[in-house]
Amino acid sequence: MSKELSQQISYGDKFKDFLRNYRDSTGIFKYVERIHRMMNMDMSSLNIDYPDLYRYNTTLAEALVDNPDDILIQFGDALKDLVSSEDPSYAEKKGKFHIRVYGLFDTIKIREIRTSHAGKLIQVEGIITRMHPIRSKMIKATFRHEKEGCNAEFYWPSEENEYIEDKIEKPTICPVCGEAGGKFTLIKGKSLYIDWQELTVQEKPEDVPGGQMPRSTPVQLIDDLVDIARPGDRVTIVGVVKLQQTGVTSLSPLFEIYIEANSVKVSEKVLEEISITREDEEKILELSKDPWIREKIISSIGTTIYGHWDLKEAIALQLFGGIPKQAADGTRIRGDIHLLFVGDPGVAKSQLLQSAARVAPRAVFTSGKGSTAAGLTATVVKDSRTGEYYLEAGALVLADGGLAIIDEFDKMRPEDRVSIHEAMEQQTISISKAGIVARLNARASVLAAGNPKWGMYDINKPFPDNVTLPPTILSRFDLIFVVRDEMNKERDQRLARHILDVHSDYDKFTPEIDPQLLKKYVIYAKRYVKPKLTEEAKDLIESFFVTLRGSALSAGNQEGGQTPVPITARQLEAIVRLAEAHAKVSLKNEITEEDAEEAIRLTISFLTSVGLDIESNTIDIGIITTGSSFHSRRIMSLVVDTLKRLTEDKPCAKLDDLVDEIVNTQKIQKDKVIEAIQKVHKEGLIIETRNNCFKPA
């Protein structure tokens, strides 16, 4: 018996020994149980944890990494023998069994895969950005030897554990009659096939070195691994590195690296890829006991940026987020907090966004000017080589479970901006193109920043007149901050001194908490802390909501009926999310009055700066939800009603007659009436039939 054959037998026997005899920490025969479960579920793949194999037989585990192709075949045969000894008919029905290996000790970065890894078993982590449709791959061809006296049909390659790799090659000699003459005809219907699929796996955004393009690698899935994941999923892949020719001719010396997957593990939990050790946990719990922990976390964001405490606090709360909830009927309430900063140039908006990206455990940074709807969400792409359509994930899908940061938000084209509506509220992205209908996860918090419409923010105009953003997008943000460059001698002196200190002694401005530890603190809070509302916090939030709406209602009754709506249930849910995040910052299991008070304070700050009706000096949430204040909408309604009355007996009413009628009867300023007429005309509620002559739509 040759040395190679004896070693082959010994590897198979050693693996059988491992499957039969390995016990876990509780003394249970772990893999005997798994084999029984595999058979009960009518499967042909057995999952093996690499650390178990390494502890049981180090030589076998190392041989598997160095020579995976041969040894995985031996492992599969060994598993088939064990199954045959229990149920021969089941083993016969399945034919081939697979061993799926999980949990290699070393994870290689995609950009570090080299030719030296060819033929080795490796583990990589990344995000699926492309996914090709499933195809059938021929693994054994059936040929008929068309020759007088033979006409035999046979599988090719004829050896049991040999399969077609890159191309189908005809046999030169018939394995049945042993002769070379005649014709070999491929019989496609009798050949053996398996499911085959190709993915593109890209580096995680947080692993990409600054200023470099993310790298990706093709991954081929076969058999029961196909369709196990979808674009946007974060995966850990164990597979064999292989080479395939890239040139047009078979003589080309150029080959590209790809991975033939042995196992695919999808990260089910958000931020699962960052591990927290026992030592880390002790540091985190020690930090949480500090009475100044909130202040330390807030001051660790943008340490070199002067002021903007509320903005930094909002970013901190956004990092921790609220608690997502799912009802029994499938209704989902998001836990992610969305923020928008609108402000004058040079007030450090972009710097704050960059600071948030550095602190967030998972963040994707993009600019509105250079982003399209497809780049933000997902797109269907046609493969130029095969003509197939496949899905490619965009920024919001890649940021799933993390932070999607969009700078220059106001510079986005309106049609591109609309694409993120669904992602912000439903936390999914729906695609229906080229026959592909899919829904991808986009459970990301959106942090956006933009400049005012006129360059500088005009305090004499309402918020919608200062921005180019539509109400449909504004209403989806939990908090909106207006950041103004106000001139104040004392503040300017402190600002100048701070900037000069930063430039003269940069090293002095270190964060209170190390960024790596802060990332792990955020992950720990998101994973394990699920605070519940106390009765006191509920009463406070309820009282705030009812009081604010009640004060507006009583004011409206005094004025005679209708009133602006100061707050809606959408803001109430935002307050709950902010209160949950505030409690999570100090790892509390209960949301107290203190957390509710801080959430209410930030909400009032948002409402008074953005939702304030300048004319009546009252809070009106309609400014954000509809783009017009209650008083503006009332004048618009008067315009339409008056125009209907004026055109009862004539085809249209002149602009001057319409304006004079409203000004004289309602005592409203002329410029306000003209502005209202322009708005209703723009919205298509009235039609200009001829120059300055209108009729209702």
Side-chain angles (χ1 to χ4, degrees), residues 481-689:
F481 288 95
V482 174
V483 196
R484 291 180 52 230
D485 186 12
E486 295 177 289
M487 286 182 282
N488 176 297
K489 188 177 180 183
E490 287 182 15
R491 184 186 170 280
D492 291 347
Q493 277 184 328
R494 290 196 299 271
L495 174 63
R497 175 56 57 192
H498 179 86
I499 292 169
L500 293 169
D501 286 346
V502 168
H503 281 274
S504 62
D505 193 2
Y506 191 80
D507 295 336
K508 188 173 76 175
F509 292 87
T510 55
E512 291 275 351
I513 301 168
D514 178 69
Q516 290 306 314
L517 180 59
L518 182 54
K519 279 185 185 182
K520 290 183 177 179
Y521 189 99
V522 171
I523 292 164
Y524 184 89
K526 290 186 91 159
R527 250 186 230 170
Y528 305 115
V529 183
K530 302 280 186 287
K532 293 272 195 307
L533 276 163
T534 60
E535 285 303 319
E536 293 81 6
K538 280 185 189 176
D539 291 344
L540 187 62
I541 296 170
E542 181 188 326
S543 172
F544 167 72
F545 180 74
V546 173
T547 306
L548 196 58
R549 284 174 73 94
S551 61
L553 190 64
S554 60
N557 287 335
Q558 287 173 11
E559 290 175 14
Q562 285 185 302
T563 175
V565 178
I567 190 171
T568 65
R570 191 173 247 175
Q571 283 69 50
L572 187 64
E573 284 192 342
I575 292 170
V576 174
R577 280 191 284 271
L578 293 166
E580 286 170 346
H582 197 264
K584 283 166 84 172
V585 172
S586 49
L587 307 187
K588 293 193 301 188
N589 291 318
E590 286 189 336
I591 300 165
T592 60
E593 280 186 282
E594 178 197 6
D595 303 312
E597 281 171 3
E598 190 56 26
I600 288 168
R601 186 189 73 78
L602 283 169
T603 304
I604 291 172
S605 170
F606 150 56
L607 290 172
T608 50
S609 65
V610 176
L612 193 69
D613 182 4
I614 292 168
E615 288 177 50
S616 60
N617 205 31
T618 56
I619 293 171
D620 180 3
I621 202 65
I623 289 174
I624 300 160
T625 55
T626 67
S628 306
S629 68
F630 169 74
H631 294 283
S632 295
R633 292 195 303 278
R634 192 167 67 85
I635 300 169
M636 287 162 69
S637 179
L638 275 170
V639 167
V640 176
D641 291 344
T642 307
L643 190 60
K644 281 179 183 175
R645 200 172 66 250
L646 291 175
T647 54
E648 281 176 356
D649 54 355
K650 54 184 176 180
C652 66
K654 290 185 177 178
L655 177 64
D656 292 341
D657 295 342
L658 178 60
V659 173
D660 291 342
E661 177 72 17
I662 297 170
V663 169
N664 295 332
T665 57
Q666 302 294 330
K667 307 301 182 203
I668 298 171
Q669 291 177 8
K670 187 176 179 179
D671 58 335
K672 298 290 180 191
V673 176
I674 293 170
E675 189 181 321
I677 291 169
Q678 288 170 347
K679 280 187 178 179
V680 290
H681 180 242
K682 189 178 177 182
E683 290 179 15
L685 298 172
I686 63 173
I687 300 167
E688 190 174 9
T689 55

Side-chain angles (χ1 to χ4, degrees), residues 437-448:
V437 179
R439 177 174 278 193
L440 308 176
N441 284 327
R443 297 159 298 188
S445 301
V446 175
L447 174 58

Side-chain angles (χ1 to χ4, degrees), residues 358-397:
R358 284 191 290 272
V359 175
R362 182 188 293 176
V364 174
F365 193 102
T366 182
S367 172
K369 188 70 175 170
S371 299
T372 61
L376 278 173
T377 54
T379 185
V380 175
V381 183
K382 188 175 182 179
D383 191 321
S384 57
R385 188 162 45 92
T386 63
E388 292 173 334
Y389 290 95
Y390 57 84
L391 275 174
E392 190 162 274
L396 287 167
V397 177

Side-chain angles (χ1 to χ4, degrees), residues 289-300:
K289 292 171 187 170
D290 187 337
W292 296 95
I293 181 62
R294 287 194 191 93
E295 287 75 10
K296 285 184 176 179
I297 287 173
I298 295 166
S299 61
S300 297

Side-chain angles (χ1 to χ4, degrees), residues 443-458:
R443 297 159 298 188
S445 301
V446 175
L447 174 58
N451 292 325
K453 190 191 290 185
W454 313 110
M456 300 291 280
Y457 195 89
D458 186 350

